Amino acid sequence: MSEHSANPSSTVAATGRPVAVKAVIPAAGLATRFLPATKAVPKELLPVVDRPVLQYIVEEATQAGIGDVLLITGRGKTSMVDHFDRRPDLETRLEEKGDTERLAAVRRPSELAEIYTVRQPEQLGLGHAVGYAESHVGDQPFAVLLGDEFVKPSEPLLPAMLELQARTGGVVLAFFEVNPADTKRYGIASVEPAESELTDIGEVVKVTGMVEKPQPEDAPSNLAVLGRYVLPGKIFDAIRRTKPGSGGEIQLTDAMELLRTEGTPVHAIVYRGTRYDTGMPLGYLQTVVQIAAEREDFGAEFRSWLADFVNADAAGGSGT
């Protein structure tokens, strides 16, 4: 663990452009929707069965070949860094008991990636948070993974986004389709077909604009922004030139739009895999149930219990 980065490094794509090898996870928010649980426990460490949300997100990054992760933290969130540190006392106890399965699970977080941290003293918007990564990232492209969403490991998203950014050198987003009636809950994009040479990567579109939480009748599409971005290093200069927007905060969307108007290409991949959203209590509970139901060790038993519970509730019973 470190609060200071080594010099930025990258690999190079066939285009000659660098491929992002670092990820930034903004995680300094207060998580007021989950109070009082998040008064002392960061929302990012709320468990999804037996792993915290944050570990799923770091695993998503490492699965895409990223081994350097910067956490943008805030007050009361040092336990996030602790989760990715070693626990020799606990490891020794498990080793003495011969509990090799739990020993491996305890060691795994510290083996995923190099974890670095920087403190955001005030929460003044996503753009403001991402700006704190400049000294770590430098002028290289990098990924941003929001701390309350992740995707199913067998249906990855990030590798295609990294390839798309290396080919275009611009901003790369991810979208997912929403019910038209729900556009007022999300940032919605206006798009046009992407260049033909990019379509082998996946369902790629060219972004022509974004609108924050439009009413259904005003929405340019039903494509909503998913919390994954791959950004060029020049985003930091754009953030510095971005004035406070919605809520009086420095919005990353505004900085990306500034780059787009200045000629930086903005593309997106339409993701049709499984997305888990733990940003609100209902989504968090749905995520826990989905992942628990798919577990090999107790998923079948859990699904059986869940079916009995739902059926008993429908019949007016207690479900217990």
Side-chain angles (χ1 to χ4, degrees):
M1 311 297 165
S2 172
E3 293 189 355
H4 304 281
S5 166
N7 291 328
S9 60
S10 65
T11 57
V12 178
T15 59
R17 294 192 181 98
V19 179
V21 295
K22 295 186 178 185
V24 174
I25 302 178
L30 298 175
T32 54
R33 292 187 181 96
F34 285 85
L35 287 171
T38 50
K39 179 182 177 182
V41 178
K43 178 185 71 173
E44 295 81 5
L45 291 186
L46 293 178
V48 177
V49 186
D50 55 5
R51 276 184 284 169
V53 173
L54 185 58
Q55 183 172 331
Y56 283 93
I57 294 168
V58 172
E59 287 173 344
E60 183 181 336
T62 59
Q63 184 185 16
I66 291 175
D68 181 309
V69 176
L70 176 68
L71 303 179
I72 310 293
T73 68
R75 292 181 184 87
K77 294 208 164 187
T78 55
S79 55
M80 291 193 303
V81 183
D82 293 339
H83 178 73
F84 295 94
D85 203 352
R86 294 288 299 271
R87 273 289 304 271
D89 57 333
L90 179 58
E91 292 174 23
T92 298
R93 180 65 62 89
L94 293 170
E95 198 166 14
E96 290 172 347
K97 292 173 60 178
D99 195 340
T100 56
E101 184 175 347
R102 286 189 176 87
L103 177 61
V106 166
R107 285 178 173 166
R108 177 168 170 74
S110 65
E111 298 168 346
L112 288 172
E114 292 293 328
I115 305 293
Y116 302 89
T117 67
V118 66
R119 178 72 65 87
Q120 182 189 15
E122 294 182 272
Q123 286 72 62
L124 299 177
L126 179 57
H128 180 258
V130 171
Y132 275 87
E134 183 172 13
S135 62
H136 185 88
V137 171
D139 61 358
Q140 299 299 305
F142 64 102
V144 175
L145 294 80
L146 299 193
D148 51 17
E149 293 180 68
F150 59 96
V151 304
K152 196 170 186 177
S154 60
E155 301 166 355
L157 166 64
L158 203 51
M161 294 182 68
L162 297 175
E163 181 180 352
L164 180 57
Q165 199 284 328
R167 288 204 202 175
T168 65
V171 171
V172 172
L173 309 175
F175 297 151
F176 66 103
E177 286 192 326
V178 298
N179 188 307
D182 292 331
T183 58
K184 59 183 178 293
R185 297 173 50 199
Y186 301 97
I188 302 297
S190 57
V191 303
E192 62 184 32
E195 299 87 334
S196 59
E197 64 268 22
L198 298 176
T199 55
D200 64 302
I201 297 176
E203 191 173 346
V204 179
V205 293
K206 188 172 183 178
V207 180
T208 58
M210 285 180 284
V211 181
E212 189 65 27
K213 300 179 180 178
Q215 292 298 317
E217 61 271 19
D218 299 322
S221 73
N222 69 331
L223 295 177
V225 179
L226 194 154
R228 296 293 179 270
Y229 313 80
V230 185
L231 305 172
K234 59 186 173 181
I235 190 68
F236 297 115
D237 177 65
I239 289 171
R240 280 190 291 272
R241 294 186 286 124
T242 298
K243 297 179 179 179
S246 176
E249 297 180 334
I250 305 297
Q251 300 295 342
L252 183 61
T253 298
D254 294 341
M256 293 188 297
E257 179 65 9
L258 176 59
L259 287 182
R260 190 188 69 81
T261 61
E262 294 175 345
T264 297
V266 180
H267 293 83
I269 291 178
V270 180
Y271 181 66
R272 301 192 183 279
T274 303
R275 163 185 171 266
Y276 301 106
D277 184 356
T278 64
M280 292 188 291
L282 177 58
Y284 169 73
L285 291 172
Q286 290 170 333
T287 297
V288 172
V289 170
Q290 284 178 268
I291 289 181
E294 294 172 356
R295 287 280 293 252
E296 292 184 0
D297 46 356
F298 56 74
E301 185 177 356
F302 177 69
R303 290 193 301 272
S304 177
W305 172 86
L306 188 62
D308 291 343
F309 176 83
V310 171
N311 292 335
D313 184 65
S318 65
T320 58

